[in-house]
């Protein structure tokens, strides 16, 4: 009987030791997994307002519409960016002329480069600029209250649908400090076309949510801005062909 007690006690001790070893191994792995850069889900908030169909900057003719320049820049960056993170898309401005339209094209998805480009290539810019609602919809798609995430806004102008980007920025920050919002002002000179919200509201949107506000005056600067915000240059070293 005594040998049986010792045997049972030995099995129990081994089980406890095994559990402790597994817990220690998990503790050793988990911090590393959490530190992996550039893997949080991301949402692109894409300006498809009527001004994106224009091909002039302050009256100076440009070679192609701004929306085509943004499409080109995204084709260069998305193959790399979507290697490491799930990416989704919100568009604002497409649809009927002069309306405040916002559309969730897709939630964060793996291998999203081609689906995003297909959606963007179908867009006909025509509406106003409900930028605030677009960012709000993107944050909801990320489940931002429960998960870290990144929103990258590409816009050529300010909010024109009556909402305040800065008020939304503060609310997002209060609800979830782990959300990051970057704003890229493309061919945007920092003044109001309409007398409404200004560049300060766009900067506030980024400042309140751990993000960058970056001005890009041409396609190449836009690629660089997208690489800083959506892509992950520190681990995306392998050469990639752009989407055809």
């Amino acid at each position: 009987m005594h040998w049986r007690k010792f045997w049972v006690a030995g099995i129990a001790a081994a089980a406890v030791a095994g559990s402790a070893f597994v817990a220690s191994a998990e503790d050793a792995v988990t911090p590393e997994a959490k530190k992996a850069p550039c893997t949080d889900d991301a949402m692109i908030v894409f300006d498809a307002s009527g001004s994106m169909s224009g091909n002039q900057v302050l009256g100076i003719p440009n070679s192609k519409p701004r929306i085509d320049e943004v499409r080109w820049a995204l084709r260069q960056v998305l193959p790399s960016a979507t290697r490491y993170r799930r990416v989704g898309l919100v568009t604002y401005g497409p649809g009927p002329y002069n309306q405040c339209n916002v559309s969730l094209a897709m939630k964060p998805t793996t291998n999203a480069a081609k689906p995003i480009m297909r959606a963007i290539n179908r867009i006909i810019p025509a509406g106003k600029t409900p930028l605030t609602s677009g960012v709000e919809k993107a944050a909801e798609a990320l489940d931002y209250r429960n998960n870290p995430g990144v929103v990258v806004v590409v816009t050529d102008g300010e909010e024109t649908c009556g909402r305040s980007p800065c008020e939304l920025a503060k609310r997002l920050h209060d609800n979830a400090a782990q959300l990051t919002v970057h704003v890229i002002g493309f061919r945007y000179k920092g003044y109001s076309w309409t007398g409404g919200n200004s560049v300060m509201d766009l900067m506030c949107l980024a400042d309140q949510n751990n993000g960058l506000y970056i001005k890009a005056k041409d396609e190449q600067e836009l690629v660089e801005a997208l690489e800083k915000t959506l892509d992950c240059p520190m681990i995306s070293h392998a050469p990639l062909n752009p989407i055809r």
Side-chain angles (χ1 to χ4, degrees):
M1 296 294 291
H2 291 295
W3 67 267
R4 184 174 297 174
K5 290 181 180 178
F6 285 121
W7 181 74
V8 171
I11 292 296
V16 170
S19 298
F21 175 78
V22 170
S24 299
E26 288 178 349
D27 289 341
V29 171
T30 301
E32 293 300 320
K34 289 181 179 178
K35 291 178 184 177
C38 311
T39 55
D40 292 338
D41 286 354
M43 291 293 296
I44 300 167
V45 179
F46 186 90
D47 186 347
S49 61
S51 60
M52 287 287 281
S53 64
N55 65 347
Q56 291 192 352
V57 180
L58 298 180
I60 302 171
N62 187 37
S63 59
K64 57 184 174 181
R66 284 192 286 278
I67 192 169
D68 287 343
E69 293 180 300
V70 179
R71 286 168 175 152
W72 180 87
L74 282 169
R75 277 197 296 271
Q76 314 313 306
V77 176
L78 278 173
S80 176
T82 56
R83 293 172 69 190
Y84 298 101
R85 64 164 98 240
R86 301 191 306 169
V87 181
L89 175 67
V90 165
T91 62
Y92 61 86
Y97 171 73
N98 214 29
Q99 299 297 309
C100 295
N101 305 300
V102 176
S103 174
L104 173 61
M106 56 187 286
K107 290 186 175 182
T109 305
T110 56
N111 301 315
K114 290 183 179 179
I116 288 175
M117 288 310 307
R118 282 197 295 268
I120 289 174
N121 288 336
R122 290 195 296 263
I123 290 173
I124 299 174
K128 291 186 178 182
T129 307
L131 181 149
T132 308
S133 296
V135 173
E136 186 174 51
K137 189 174 285 290
E140 294 292 348
L142 289 167
D143 190 16
Y144 76 101
R145 295 178 185 85
N146 300 309
N147 300 301
V150 177
V151 176
V152 179
V153 184
V154 181
T155 183
D156 75 337
E158 70 280 350
E159 165 76 38
T160 61
C161 288
R163 296 189 63 185
S164 168
C166 200
E167 287 181 7
L168 174 67
K170 293 172 182 175
R171 178 157 55 84
L172 292 176
H173 176 76
D174 290 344
N175 289 338
Q178 59 193 349
L179 181 68
T180 300
V181 180
H182 301 297
V183 180
I184 302 173
F186 181 57
R187 296 193 181 278
Y188 176 53
K189 295 299 180 180
Y191 60 85
S192 175
W193 292 98
T194 62
N197 293 297
S198 71
V199 67
M200 298 304 295
D201 271 322
L202 300 181
M203 295 175 69
C204 175
L205 191 56
D207 290 343
Q208 287 287 322
N209 291 281
N210 315 303
L212 301 171
Y213 174 76
I214 304 174
K215 292 194 293 184
K217 68 176 182 293
D218 56 35
E219 290 172 307
Q220 190 54 49
E221 287 192 0
L222 181 55
V223 168
E224 293 170 3
L226 288 167
E227 287 174 341
K228 288 179 182 178
T229 56
L230 182 66
D231 197 3
C232 188
M234 68 187 75
I235 57 177
S236 301
H237 297 305
L240 289 169
N241 294 323
I243 301 170
R244 302 300 181 188

